[in-house]
Amino acid sequence: MASRTASKDIITLRGSAAIVSEFFGYAANSILYNRAVYPEESFTKVKKYGLAMLLTQDEGVKTFIASLTSQLSEWLEAGKLQRIVLVIMSKATNEVLERWNFNIVTDAEVVEKGAIKEKSDKEIMREIQAIMRQIASCITYLPCLDEPCVFDVLAYTDTDVDAPGTWVESDAKLISNPQMVKLHSFDTKIHKVDTLVSYKKDEWDEEE
């Protein structure tokens, strides 16, 4: 008679870095779609995380996100990445309207000693699903962006990191007296990602 036990999947530093960087690529696409930064018709549906996800077909944005996730994976594997922020700004004025914050806590022991962790892929996927569903429903809790917008990505790294030439020093692109909504988090047991969106109050909020 065969016996079965619930098995956990082995998570390595490289594997965890790949999970987190891939997550950010899909999350960025979902934010750009759901916040209408790019036209709806420029996205195509794919299946990921057990959900219907949207990916941009704009070649410039695709190249940018692919290059971005590759660099993030490298920093994550080195344990040097602390936070990623996707910023949405007014195209006309560069005023910051939203900041999607992804805070990252890395298990230092794994980076220093090469330890491995265990957690099932399904459990990680469920946690990511919850975040993606919250991003997809953001229209229910964020003000309407009723003007053309652009986006940028900020990466907060350890100070000893040499950034590639495509990255430049930037101000924090903060919002004065923002409203904030904390979203779900996910944890690979090596990298824990906490998600928070801060946004500019709309005029209706200010009049109350």
Side-chain angles (χ1 to χ4, degrees), residues 44-208:
T44 187
K45 277 187 181 181
V46 298
K47 189 77 176 287
K48 184 68 177 177
Y49 307 122
L51 302 169
M53 302 294 297
L54 281 301
L55 292 182
T56 180
Q57 295 305 293
D58 181 293
E59 289 302 327
V61 181
K62 281 171 69 174
T63 300
F64 175 83
I65 292 178
S67 173
L68 172 68
T69 53
S70 175
Q71 181 59 65
L72 295 180
S73 185
E74 185 179 316
W75 283 333
L76 285 160
E77 199 171 336
K80 301 292 187 182
L81 187 62
Q82 300 169 5
R83 192 189 320 163
I84 315 160
V85 183
L86 189 150
V87 181
I88 297 178
M89 301 169 290
S90 163
K91 187 174 183 179
T93 66
N94 276 338
E95 180 185 14
V96 178
L97 304 175
E98 292 177 7
R99 298 177 89 251
W100 292 79
N101 298 266
F102 300 87
N103 194 62
I104 298 157
V105 178
T106 304
D107 186 321
E109 181 188 19
V110 175
V111 177
E112 293 165 6
K113 301 180 181 178
I116 58 174
K117 300 288 183 176
E118 292 186 354
K119 185 168 182 175
S120 75
D121 288 342
K122 286 184 178 179
E123 191 176 352
I124 295 171
M125 187 178 77
R126 280 197 299 271
E127 292 174 1
I128 292 176
Q129 272 182 348
I131 300 173
M132 293 304 187
R133 287 194 173 104
Q134 286 182 311
I135 294 173
S137 65
C138 63
I139 193 169
T140 63
Y141 56 85
L142 294 178
C144 178
L145 297 176
D146 54 1
E147 61 179 303
C149 293
V150 294
F151 81 101
D152 200 359
V153 175
L154 310 178
Y156 292 75
T157 63
D158 291 357
T159 54
D160 60 350
V161 167
D162 290 324
T166 50
W167 289 81
V168 295
E169 289 289 335
S170 170
D171 65 90
K173 301 187 186 299
L174 299 174
I175 299 170
S176 179
N177 298 317
Q179 298 281 79
M180 297 185 188
V181 178
K182 191 177 188 308
L183 307 184
H184 288 298
S185 61
F186 80 94
D187 190 353
T188 67
K189 295 297 187 184
I190 295 176
H191 296 105
K192 185 174 188 291
V193 181
D194 292 309
T195 311
L196 173 82
V197 58
S198 55
Y199 59 94
K200 179 180 179 291
K201 292 181 181 180
D202 63 24
E203 293 176 359
W204 296 104
D205 289 333
E206 291 170 0
E207 289 174 4
E208 288 180 359

Side-chain angles (χ1 to χ4, degrees), residues 9-26:
D9 294 301
I10 298 297
I11 306 290
T12 64
L13 178 58
R14 176 169 292 182
S16 179
I19 290 168
V20 175
S21 58
E22 182 181 54
F23 157 80
F24 183 75
Y26 278 93

